[in-house]
Amino acid sequence: MSPEIQTVAALVVVALAAGWLVRRAFAPRKNPGCGGECGCPTGKLKR
């Protein structure tokens, strides 16, 4: 494999990883409220 192809492949991998991290950082959270262990009642107890 030539050095040019290795460089391009490495840049593509880094760009994909960086894009995935940025996407995860700005993605909405599934449960943005209670983080756990705060004394909130569980879902079964809520009405």
Side-chain angles (χ1 to χ4, degrees):
M1 197 184 288
S2 70
E4 291 83 14
I5 293 174
Q6 287 181 346
T7 301
V8 170
L11 288 174
V12 167
V13 169
V14 169
L16 288 173
W20 179 74
L21 288 172
V22 168
R23 183 174 161 238
R24 279 191 49 129
F26 291 109
R29 305 271 189 249
K30 289 184 180 179
N31 296 323
C34 184
E37 300 299 326
C38 65
C40 298
T42 62
K44 293 179 182 178
L45 297 177
K46 290 183 181 179
R47 291 185 182 199

